[in-house]
Amino acid sequence: MNVMANRPRRLESYVGGQWIAGAKEGVPLLDASIGAPVAFIDSTGIDFKAILAYGRDKGGPALRRLSFHERAAMLKALGQALMERKEEFYALSTATGATRADSWVDIEGGIGTLLSYASKGRRELPNTRVLLDGDVEPLSKDGTFSAQHILSPLQGVAVHINAFNFPCWGMLEKLAPTLLAGVPAIVKPASQTAYLTELMVRRIVETGILPEGALQLVCGSVGDLLDHVEGQDAVTFTGSASTGQRLKTHKAIVQNSVRFTMEADSLNAAVLGLDAAPGTEEFDLFVKEVAREMTVKAGQKCTAIRRVIAPRSYSEALIESLRARLGKTVIGNPADEAIRMGPLASLDQREEVRARIRDISADAEIVAGDPDNPSVQSGDAAAGAFLNPVLLYCDKPGSASAIHDVEAFGPVSTVMPYDTAEEAVDLARRGKGSLVASVFTNDPAFAEEVVLGLAPFHGRVMIGNRVSAKSSTGHGSPLPGLVHGGPGRAGGGEELGGMRGVKHYMQRTAIQGAPTMLSAVTGRWMQGADARADGEHPFRKSLAELKIGDQLTTASRTVTLDDIEHFANFTGDTFYAHMDEEAAKANPFFDGRVAHGYLIVSFAAGLFVDPAPGPVLANYGVDNLRFLTPVNPGDTLQVQLTCKEINPRANAEHGEVRWDCNVTNQLGATVAQYDVLTMVAKTRE
């Protein structure tokens, strides 16, 4: 099927393993620039209860059979396959009103998020199907009863209800952590731009990379789908607060305690510092950032700057600078390469923004732009959803309400003056919770006061100044490793944030029992669990031979004063506690001169290392190193080394092994405790 044919086409949903058109012709979806039909959308006739069951019964088990590394490899392959097809997505994206730059954020930004989670999954997660959360909790004095928190995948389906402004990124940024967690998804894109989401899902399905049932797509209304969600399901929503609140209080969601994540209205603020006077680099950066956030995606970004908070004495100069910069924005059909800002996504969306501008005008005056008379270089000014950037000014923002309550989801911002840092924070807080705020300043004291004041009310705060100008990702860019979400009006949810986003789709459970039983469940050895010493040095074993709990108890070594002095002179670490008997005795932690901590670690390595070439390829780190008992001259050290965790790497001839290293003295007291990390070959040569 040629999805790029000029004639409008009926969108199809991908459910139950097949593409299905709605029973009706559907509602026409129009090109945002010229008003011509692009597609028709309808989901009538879909059995929504059945597609939930299909995801749970087909997709879920298939994903849960894979380890985190296998799921990460799946995301990488998918991201690479989509990147090869990106030009097809760009070509269709112009119909949504997006320029090439706008589409880059949506298309390659979304694919980049898949690839980022693929990389993070391989680097930060074990090659297992369960995650450990925190340390072992001892529950008995004799060590026979302990607890460990684990995270395991939900056994339901994640339902993602997305917004119109990012038809690709909005889907992929939710899919990446969902699939990495091992949970299947049903994606419901906003209708107006669903044709681009549908195209991308078609290409995803064609790759055959995802297990069947891992991804389903609904083009059109979700009907009674939410009536059938259960306690193991999750629902995410991006859109208006009113719709989100209605969904959040849906009977099935409330009764079944279904996980619900919402990203809603957000009156994001940008604060110009008191030090950032006209003529400073920060002032110029601020003007550039505000103008960019007003015009990228025609201001249709949940992270766009809606409120521009600036020192009163700089406001006039700021307005003039913004008016001049915005006036140079070339508006028209994004299929034209000269265009820098396209239309809004639909005529209905333009009328919605115009209505919100009228609401805001109760508190503010328009100082740049005419919302009723768009000026375009290309496209159809009457049939297209064009709107010039509109800048407003509110002279008394402290006593106003509409500017802090109403979001015009388009190229619209309001300048509001302040006199003190405290007042700037207060104005930003009146947004009642937002996704992001930015502060442009080169004054560390101002940054500290304002950022700490903003943080409880925002999911992200960006500080901009001359130092970070070239490398900064900007006010409006959600990043895979950072939390995307905000408190209060913004919905109270969190997405992305690296592995934090993965854990939203997993259940945290406290497992209690004897250490050996817990080790069997978690795949990690812990103190008190069974251990084995079969006479062969564990370092002589490949991954194929090594078992959790394989243990070595070493010979012993006595630490002498000559050892301590030699180590001090050799390394240059002549800290008084190692060199001065009288001063060391005056220290409340020591009885006299003590061995260096790193001398203890070095001696321990000398005791447990097997020197011959073999399966152990490299030592790549030490985790959780603690020195617990001072070592004096004459003390004797011994090491108990236990294979703690085995993590084979996918598509490699080696894996990581974590060893529990417990160093004791002649009295049996632990003097040092840490994990040794090694690379070990999968088989012996």
Side-chain angles (χ1 to χ4, degrees):
M1 177 181 180
N2 181 7
V3 298
M4 293 304 299
N6 290 327
R7 62 183 179 83
R9 59 192 182 82
R10 293 178 65 189
L11 299 185
E12 295 180 321
S13 296
Y14 185 70
V15 295
Q18 57 186 326
W19 288 98
I20 299 176
K24 302 177 182 177
E25 182 181 44
V27 177
L29 307 178
L30 308 181
D31 185 299
S33 296
I34 59 177
V38 178
F40 293 89
I41 189 168
D42 177 64
S43 63
T44 305
I46 292 177
D47 185 340
F48 292 103
K49 183 177 181 180
I51 68 172
L52 279 166
Y54 188 77
R56 296 179 191 127
D57 299 339
K58 186 79 172 178
L63 286 170
R64 292 194 297 273
R65 281 193 292 269
L66 304 176
S67 70
F68 290 108
H69 284 199
E70 289 170 327
R71 294 175 206 146
M74 180 180 71
L75 294 183
K76 180 179 180 180
L78 187 59
Q80 292 172 332
L82 291 177
M83 196 67 80
E84 292 174 357
R85 295 159 171 81
K86 66 181 182 180
E87 291 304 325
E88 187 179 12
F89 307 137
Y90 275 113
L92 186 57
S93 183
T94 58
T96 72
T99 65
R100 177 83 184 193
D102 295 338
S103 298
W104 181 89
V105 177
D106 186 31
I107 296 167
E108 296 192 49
I111 297 171
T113 299
L114 274 184
L115 295 173
S116 176
Y117 268 88
S119 177
K120 281 183 167 291
R122 293 192 307 275
R123 288 185 288 108
E124 300 178 23
L125 299 180
N127 195 15
T128 63
R129 295 182 296 168
V130 65
L131 288 181
L132 304 189
D133 183 50
D135 297 327
V136 174
E137 295 286 344
L139 300 177
S140 65
K141 291 183 179 180
D142 63 1
T144 61
F145 191 57
S146 302
Q148 172 71 63
H149 287 90
I150 67 169
L151 292 160
S152 56
L154 293 176
Q155 298 202 3
V157 176
V159 178
H160 297 313
I161 303 173
N162 298 331
F164 68 85
N165 52 337
F166 287 102
C168 297
W169 179 86
M171 171 178 67
L172 297 178
E173 66 96 5
K174 293 180 180 181
L175 269 185
T178 304
L179 296 176
L180 188 55
V183 176
I186 296 171
V187 173
K188 191 281 181 203
S191 292
Q192 181 55 46
T193 55
Y195 47 85
L196 183 53
T197 310
E198 192 233 36
L199 173 61
M200 182 169 277
V201 172
R202 281 187 181 278
R203 300 301 174 249
I204 290 174
V205 172
E206 288 169 3
T207 68
I209 292 170
L210 297 184
E212 185 52 60
L215 172 61
Q216 297 182 86
L217 172 74
V218 175
C219 288
S221 168
V222 293
D224 65 349
L225 185 146
L226 294 184
D227 292 345
H228 307 294
V229 294
E230 299 173 354
Q232 286 290 307
D233 299 322
V235 176
T236 73
F237 170 79
T238 302
S240 71
S242 58
T243 301
Q245 289 161 6
R246 177 169 54 82
L247 297 179
K248 187 176 183 178
T249 56
H250 188 284
K251 183 178 179 181
I253 290 176
V254 174
Q255 288 185 346
N256 297 322
S257 299
V258 175
R259 299 184 186 202
F260 187 89
T261 299
M262 177 167 66
E263 180 203 311
D265 304 346
S266 185
L267 289 164
N268 311 298
V271 179
L272 182 64
L274 289 168
D275 61 304
T280 64
E281 293 178 69
E282 283 68 37
F283 182 89
D284 293 341
L285 290 169
F286 187 77
V287 171
K288 181 179 179 180
E289 191 72 5
V290 171
R292 179 171 66 175
E293 287 300 312
M294 289 181 67
T295 56
V296 170
K297 291 287 288 187
Q300 297 169 114
K301 292 171 55 184
C302 54
T303 54
I305 296 170
R306 307 299 181 197
R307 297 177 300 147
V308 182
I309 302 173
R312 184 172 292 276
S313 58
Y314 309 159
S315 293
E316 185 175 347
L318 176 63
I319 290 171
E320 287 303 316
S321 296
L322 285 171
R323 182 185 289 126
R325 192 173 188 94
L326 293 171
K328 297 177 182 178
T329 304
V330 183
I331 301 171
N333 188 333
D336 180 350
E337 292 183 1
I339 297 304
R340 292 295 172 265
M341 189 180 99
L344 300 179
S346 67
L347 291 172
D348 286 345
Q349 181 62 22
R350 183 177 68 177
E351 292 313 305
E352 165 70 19
V353 174
R354 285 173 170 171
R356 299 294 75 77
I357 292 173
R358 290 192 292 271
D359 292 339
I360 296 171
S361 296
D363 289 338
E365 60 177 318
I366 295 175
V367 293
D370 182 350
D372 297 320
N373 296 289
S375 175
V376 301
Q377 181 168 299
S378 60
D380 190 325
F386 294 101
L387 183 73
N388 292 92
V390 175
L391 187 69
L392 299 98
Y393 173 73
C394 176
D395 189 59
K396 297 180 179 179
S399 58
S401 58
I403 58 172
H404 304 300
D405 292 336
V406 177
E407 181 183 21
F409 200 73
V412 183
S413 293
T414 302
V415 175
M416 48 193 76
Y418 75 90
D419 295 304
T420 66
E422 183 180 13
E423 184 181 357
V425 170
D426 176 67
L427 291 175
R429 287 178 171 183
R430 293 190 182 205
K432 301 179 182 66
S434 299
L435 297 173
V436 57
S438 55
V439 182
F440 283 76
T441 179
N442 204 38
D443 180 354
F446 182 87
E448 178 187 18
E449 180 178 357
V450 175
V451 170
L452 293 182
L454 297 179
F457 294 80
H458 295 81
R460 178 168 58 89
V461 179
M462 190 207 78
I463 305 171
N465 75 345
R466 65 194 70 181
V467 176
S468 63
K470 291 183 179 180
S471 57
S472 173
T473 52
H475 167 103
S477 298
L479 299 172
L482 304 182
V483 166
H484 178 57
R489 189 201 301 272
E494 283 189 1
E495 297 170 3
L496 298 175
M499 295 305 103
R500 297 172 185 85
V502 175
K503 294 175 183 178
H504 291 326
Y505 304 100
M506 306 186 80
Q507 175 61 44
R508 181 180 289 104
T509 306
I511 309 299
Q512 298 170 272
T516 297
M517 298 296 104
L518 295 186
S519 292
V521 171
T522 63
R524 176 180 282 196
W525 182 87
M526 63 183 65
Q527 288 289 339
D530 291 344
R532 291 172 300 280
D534 58 12
E536 183 176 15
H537 195 296
F539 279 17
R540 306 309 308 158
K541 298 179 180 180
S542 67
L543 286 192
E545 301 161 315
L546 193 62
K547 305 296 182 185
I548 300 293
D550 281 355
Q551 190 174 84
L552 170 71
T553 301
T554 71
S556 59
R557 174 167 181 168
T558 299
V559 179
T560 67
L561 188 59
D562 286 344
D563 290 330
I564 296 172
E565 292 185 344
H566 173 74
F567 191 84
N569 294 325
F570 183 68
T571 63
D573 181 358
T574 56
F575 184 63
Y576 77 88
H578 311 308
M579 308 302 293
D580 187 327
E581 182 73 19
E582 184 176 344
K585 283 185 176 180
N587 187 312
F589 294 104
F590 307 131
D591 295 327
R593 294 173 69 177
V594 295
H596 305 69
Y598 298 112
L599 172 61
I600 297 169
V601 172
S602 299
F603 279 2
L607 290 170
F608 68 68
V609 165
D610 183 275
V616 174
L617 305 173
N619 178 331
Y620 73 95
V622 168
D623 277 353
N624 308 315
L625 174 60
R626 293 292 184 272
F627 300 114
L628 304 174
T629 304
V631 173
N632 302 109
D635 284 348
T636 299
L637 304 180
Q638 189 175 37
V639 180
Q640 187 179 79
L641 186 75
T642 310
C643 178
K644 189 172 188 176
E645 187 175 40
I646 301 172
N647 189 20
R649 284 201 174 188
N651 303 317
E653 297 303 315
H654 65 276
E656 294 102 4
V657 176
R658 180 180 293 269
W659 306 84
D660 181 88
C661 187
N662 187 44
V663 186
T664 56
N665 62 17
Q666 68 278 5
L667 301 177
T670 297
V671 300
Q673 179 76 48
Y674 52 98
D675 289 352
V676 176
L677 310 175
T678 63
M679 294 289 189
V680 179
K682 288 184 176 178
T683 59
R684 294 199 203 198
E685 293 187 0

